[in-house]
Amino acid sequence: VNATSLGRMRITSWNLLHGQPIPPLSAGPSQESLSAAVRRLETEVIAVQEVDYKLPRSNSRNQISDIADAIGAKDWAFSPSIIGTPGEKWRKLNGADSRMVSDEKSDLAGSYGIAIASTIPVLKWHRLDLGNSVVGMPLVVPTESETSSKPKIRAIYVHDEPRLALGATLANGWTVFNTHLSFVPGFNFAQLGKIKRWAKELSAENNCRVVIMGDLNLPKNLPVLASDWISLVQENTYPSWGPKIQFDYILAQGLQPGEYHPLSDSQLSISRLGMSDHLPLSVEILK
């Protein structure tokens, strides 16, 4: 029985790292391993960050379409943050570039961004551009280790890429938002404030309840600081091979503890698969 028919909705957020195996392998991600990982989540709505759209490094697959097929979702959308490959050669979107893809006909091949797939019908898609910090930062990235099953870590200077939020208004009275915020402290907190205000506006326009998911790059429950938002899952998500910090969140307003149920078992199944440097977060909303 579909959970939504019982007034339930199971949702997941996952920074995918384009399906990269951990430790990193030269072969890169495969459609089969990604689909198997997503099926284990047993989710109805999935918000993914760091997802590729027909990039050579991920075998030129439409990754969100593959994810949608894996969970049996008819509705999906991809929104690019950049054209090209992050950390390599890329450019910002220009006026001629599509801002969203929700079918197989697109001019966005070779892009990277965020996406949502849903087994619950999507009535309307939304996009909010958040810009990027002019200042970059050194970031730690996993690399293959010749002596250990755990990846080696190295620091590289990374320029901040443009950020955005993607929203899906669902037929069950909810709008879910997906985002991957800047890694620059302060700038990411301001971006989250914009999304919260946008979510409030769309909630009033569409007479719906809202949830914000994604890699917020904010630790220690900072995303709910000085607000009426609550974090539905409080679990460390990074790094996946030994999580010590929470960067990934599912936020909502007005839900009481008995109205949602965090699903941490899904994290364990994913971590054993050795994919991505983040663990997924899942929750079942019971309203």
Side-chain angles (χ1 to χ4, degrees):
V1 178
N2 189 303
T4 52
S5 66
L6 303 175
R8 298 167 181 254
M9 174 175 66
R10 185 171 292 193
I11 59 177
T12 297
S13 176
W14 191 16
N15 181 324
L16 198 63
L17 191 66
H18 63 277
Q20 175 69 58
I22 295 293
L25 302 173
S26 57
S30 71
Q31 176 192 353
E32 294 76 17
S33 59
L34 175 58
S35 296
V38 171
R39 279 193 292 269
R40 285 203 185 190
L41 290 167
E42 297 182 344
T43 193
E44 294 166 285
V45 181
I46 184 167
V48 286
Q49 307 88 44
E50 297 198 26
V51 60
D52 287 353
Y53 184 82
K54 300 182 179 179
L55 271 174
R57 70 175 182 180
S58 48
N59 302 310
S60 298
R61 299 292 305 178
N62 176 353
Q63 289 190 317
I64 191 57
S65 178
D66 292 338
I67 289 169
D69 289 344
I71 65 171
K74 293 183 179 178
D75 291 331
W76 58 265
F78 165 81
S79 272
S81 57
I82 60 172
I83 307 298
T85 305
E88 298 178 19
K89 185 177 180 181
W90 61 269
R91 65 170 175 84
K92 294 183 178 182
L93 274 64
N94 60 38
D97 295 317
S98 299
R99 262 48 186 176
M100 193 181 303
V101 184
S102 56
D103 56 42
E104 294 293 348
K105 299 176 182 177
S106 168
D107 58 354
L108 283 173
S111 53
Y112 161 92
I114 62 176
I116 295 173
S118 176
T119 62
I120 303 165
V122 176
L123 304 181
K124 190 175 182 180
W125 295 102
H126 317 270
R127 172 178 172 133
L128 176 68
D129 288 304
L130 299 169
N132 63 290
S133 170
V134 296
V135 178
M137 285 184 64
L139 293 183
V140 294
V141 295
T143 58
E144 190 169 6
S145 172
E146 297 177 358
T147 59
S148 172
S149 60
K150 293 183 179 180
K152 292 194 301 183
I153 296 296
R154 64 187 179 96
I156 59 172
Y157 184 86
V158 178
H159 295 281
D160 194 25
E161 65 207 34
R163 309 290 175 157
L164 69 138
L166 173 66
T169 297
L170 308 178
N172 65 352
W174 285 83
T175 296
V176 297
F177 297 92
N178 178 25
T179 192
H180 185 191
L181 300 183
S182 171
F183 49 73
V184 178
F187 195 80
N188 49 18
F189 199 77
Q191 289 177 325
L192 180 58
K194 290 181 182 178
I195 297 173
K196 287 177 178 178
R197 291 190 293 274
W198 184 52
K200 184 177 180 180
E201 292 170 3
L202 288 179
S203 174
E205 283 179 19
N206 296 283
N207 190 28
C208 62
R209 305 191 71 180
V210 294
V211 60
I212 297 172
M213 300 186 279
D215 178 356
L216 306 186
N217 272 315
L218 289 163
K220 299 181 179 179
N221 226 24
L222 282 176
V224 300
L225 185 67
S227 76
D228 59 352
W229 292 79
I230 58 172
S231 176
L232 302 186
V233 188
Q234 297 184 34
E235 297 278 353
N236 291 340
T237 57
Y238 182 87
S240 57
W241 55 90
K244 295 177 175 62
I245 192 167
Q246 181 169 5
F247 283 138
D248 306 88
Y249 294 86
I250 300 176
L251 309 178
Q253 291 176 304
L255 284 177
Q256 302 302 312
E259 296 171 338
Y260 62 92
H261 176 58
L263 303 168
S264 57
D265 285 347
S266 60
Q267 294 185 350
L268 300 177
S269 65
I270 287 293
S271 64
R272 286 196 294 268
L273 288 176
M275 179 181 293
S276 180
D277 54 349
H278 286 246
L279 292 177
L281 288 181
S282 295
V283 67
E284 191 167 77
I285 295 175
L286 308 179
K287 293 188 71 174

